[in-house]
Amino acid sequence: MTSSTPITTSVFDLFKVGPGPSSSHTIGPMKAAFDFRQRLGSLSPDVAQQADAIHVHLYGSLSATGKGHGTDRAVVAGLLGWQPETTDPDALLGLLKDSAVVYAVPVGDRTISIGPEQIYFQRKRYDSPYANTMVLQLLAHDQVLLEAEYYSIGGGFIIRKGEPETPLTTASVPYPYSSMAELKALLKAHSLTLDELLITNEMRLTGKSRSEVNRRLDQILDFMHKAVRRGLRQKGTLPGSIKLSRKAPILFQQAKGMSHSSDSFLIFLNAYCLAASEENAAGGIVVTAPTSGASGVIPGLTYLAKHHFHYDRATLRAGMLAAAAVGFLVKHNASISGAEMGCMGEIGTASAMGAAFLTRCAQPNGSISAIEAAAEIAIEHHLGMTCDPIGGYVQIPCIERNAMGAVKAYNAFLLATSGAASFQKISLDAVIKVMKATGRDMSTKYKETSEAGLALSATEC
Ligand code: SF4
């Protein structure tokens, strides 16, 4: 029996492929706009005939930092029928470049144009249960014919108003849990390893066979590592007014030249994390882990694990499942959204997932206590971390923060695997509860609105 609704998120909904720079501001709005487009397609012909405009209203953090995050382009892409995983990042960056160009959206058997004039970055407060809210409308002479309200809740997950937060799945999972305590009890009662429990649930949730789940995990790792490799090759400055130079290729060259130094390991890790994060900032294709803003931590660690520690594919997959379990628990019991939790929800969660990944990879028999301890330590040392990106771009502090999150993950793994489990006094469930309470207490200014903190320092530079 679970104490609340069981977790029914798929590993492949947590690890989603899509364009950067922000899953809540890019992938989520694209999916919401795509959903609205589907609704337009099923309108009765007489309603569709009357329509003369589509309006998009962005509220909260979507409005505050949506320009820098490319939310307007993502909305247009979704209305055009583009899907995150198959979007061409260059084509996405080209949308809305020319303010005179408008785009045709099918409504029944005709089309309606949308351009920058129809996308409103609303400054007024909007009564909504979530920080990232968008309202899409189909109008006729300013009268609303169809309206849908969406919440982008982090990591590219969306909820449509009136629908439950946890999507109703037709399949119930064989091993239901909603907390780490319940997960541990299930492992003990059924004498299962963590990998086995998670893969069994995943097969039921997605209808995929074991080999299909394994193949998709390999693909996700490949997408992550492609982002790292692209980022290690790219030079120049990132898009946006900050004109931030890419640093990953410089660090990579530096690390290669100092193979006898004890620092080289850390510099390699920094280079890999920066490479994926810089690709994300440039709008490239990344994997949410658990979000796009934090999409450098796990790719950096898995790249290191593969190329420096030479773990085989099966071990990497097992590590990814352990990471997913931690991501599920945070998403289910707190939030992975910077707009809800500040950066502890994004980089803090990614770091905890990375710590779980490293711990599972290093321990073939996968002690759940060590995995829990590593994840707990990583979250504990991100509590209260604010989200205040300069200019609304996912660049400063985000890119370096991914490298810092990965280094903390590594140290959390070392701390958790040295000494007895009895050293661990705080449970993962407890620290997630603290994260939720801290996020609730933080001022909105520090939750992806660019209204305080480092975001203001730009004016002083
Ligand atoms: S500061 Fe952290 S939470 Fe905010 S946009 Fe950057 S990575 Fe995401």
Side-chain angles (χ1 to χ4, degrees):
M1 280 290 279
T2 60
S3 55
S4 72
T5 334
I7 291 170
T8 50
T9 307
S10 160
V11 172
F12 307 116
D13 282 332
L14 191 73
F15 294 125
K16 273 190 287 291
V17 179
S22 163
S23 40
S24 53
H25 290 62
T26 319
I27 297 178
M30 191 187 286
K31 284 170 61 184
F34 183 85
D35 181 82
F36 191 67
R37 174 191 162 100
Q38 306 291 87
R39 285 166 201 285
L40 294 177
S42 52
L43 283 175
S44 65
D46 54 320
V47 175
Q49 272 310 318
Q50 299 169 45
D52 57 17
I54 294 171
H55 286 182
V56 179
H57 301 273
L58 303 170
Y59 295 97
S61 170
L62 287 182
S63 165
T65 58
K67 271 274 173 215
H69 289 56
T71 305
D72 44 359
R73 289 194 296 271
V75 167
V76 170
L79 287 171
L80 292 177
W82 300 8
Q83 298 269 37
E85 181 157 347
T86 47
T87 287
D88 170 358
D90 292 330
L92 181 62
L93 281 175
L95 293 176
L96 299 176
K97 222 172 192 171
D98 180 345
S99 57
V101 174
V102 291
Y103 302 87
V105 180
V107 179
D109 56 4
R110 46 198 287 264
T111 60
I112 290 184
S113 299
I114 182 146
E117 305 277 294
Q118 286 78 40
I119 302 175
Y120 301 92
F121 290 85
Q122 297 285 10
R123 285 290 162 189
K124 61 185 181 214
R125 281 190 70 81
Y126 186 72
D127 191 18
S128 157
Y130 293 92
N132 286 324
T133 297
M134 55 193 283
V135 178
L136 285 93
Q137 296 171 324
L138 180 72
L139 303 142
H141 307 295
D142 292 332
Q143 297 298 309
V144 176
L145 297 176
L146 176 72
E147 179 174 286
E149 183 168 320
Y150 298 89
Y151 313 118
S152 182
I153 59 167
F157 291 90
I158 54 164
I159 302 172
R160 192 158 54 86
K161 186 178 180 182
E163 288 182 346
E165 177 161 350
T166 307
L168 297 171
T169 55
T170 46
S172 59
V173 287
Y175 300 110
Y177 64 92
S178 63
S179 65
M180 180 50 103
E182 289 170 359
L183 180 57
K184 287 197 294 187
L186 282 172
L187 295 175
K188 196 169 171 196
H190 298 276
S191 301
L192 283 169
T193 61
L194 180 62
D195 327 341
E196 193 51 35
L197 183 149
L198 291 170
I199 209 159
T200 309
N201 277 1
E202 187 65 26
M203 288 191 292
R204 179 70 66 84
L205 276 173
T206 58
K208 291 184 196 300
S209 66
R210 182 178 296 266
S211 60
E212 285 169 334
V213 171
N214 284 337
R215 201 172 320 125
R216 185 63 182 155
L217 278 170
D218 290 346
Q219 279 176 354
I220 291 292
L221 279 163
D222 287 346
F223 271 113
M224 287 182 172
H225 296 173
K226 267 188 211 157
V228 172
R229 281 196 296 275
R230 276 198 317 271
L232 291 176
R233 285 195 306 267
Q234 303 286 342
K235 298 204 170 93
T237 53
L238 293 167
S241 57
I242 307 177
K243 303 282 175 231
L244 186 67
S245 295
R246 287 182 183 252
K247 201 169 170 183
I250 298 167
L251 284 174
F252 188 49
Q253 289 309 322
Q254 188 188 345
K256 283 201 288 190
M258 46 194 297
S259 55
H260 298 299
S261 160
S262 53
D263 290 346
S264 73
F265 154 74
L266 268 186
I267 300 176
F268 272 121
L269 178 58
N270 284 334
Y272 302 151
C273 295
L274 259 59
S277 303
E278 287 171 0
E279 274 303 283
N280 176 62
I285 295 291
V286 293
V287 179
T288 60
T291 64
S292 301
S295 63
V297 176
I298 294 183
L301 288 169
T302 55
Y303 201 83
L304 187 86
K306 182 177 176 190
H307 295 281
H308 294 249
F309 304 158
H310 307 293
Y311 287 127
D312 59 21
R313 281 221 175 251
T315 306
L316 294 174
R317 285 183 208 130
M320 287 286 282
L321 289 171
V326 171
F328 292 159
L329 289 167
V330 178
K331 178 180 176 298
H332 195 75
N333 295 303
S335 166
I336 55 172
S337 164
E340 306 281 340
M341 294 286 116
C343 202
M344 70 177 155
E346 294 204 17
I347 298 290
T349 307
S351 185
M353 291 167 68
F357 165 82
L358 290 168
T359 309
R360 171 59 191 84
C361 287
Q363 302 198 331
N365 297 326
S367 149
I368 187 67
S369 305
I371 291 171
E372 178 185 13
E376 187 283 320
I377 292 168
I379 291 184
E380 192 178 311
H381 301 289
H382 283 91
L383 286 173
M385 186 183 270
T386 56
C387 168
D388 46 4
I390 292 182
Y393 295 103
V394 189
Q395 298 182 9
I396 305 174
C398 319
I399 294 171
E400 287 179 358
R401 200 162 271 183
N402 275 270
M404 296 300 291
V407 171
K408 280 197 201 177
Y410 200 88
N411 209 23
F413 147 65
L414 293 178
L415 288 168
T417 50
S418 351
S422 59
F423 278 87
Q424 194 60 25
K425 297 294 181 202
I426 302 174
S427 69
L428 183 61
D429 292 333
V431 86
I432 292 174
K433 230 183 230 176
V434 173
M435 180 198 252
K436 184 175 184 180
T438 308
R440 209 177 32 223
D441 290 346
M442 277 167 75
S443 162
T444 313
K445 289 195 293 187
Y446 295 103
K447 293 194 276 193
E448 214 167 355
T449 54
S450 289
E451 288 173 357
L454 282 171
L456 296 189
S457 76
T459 53
E460 293 158 18
C461 293

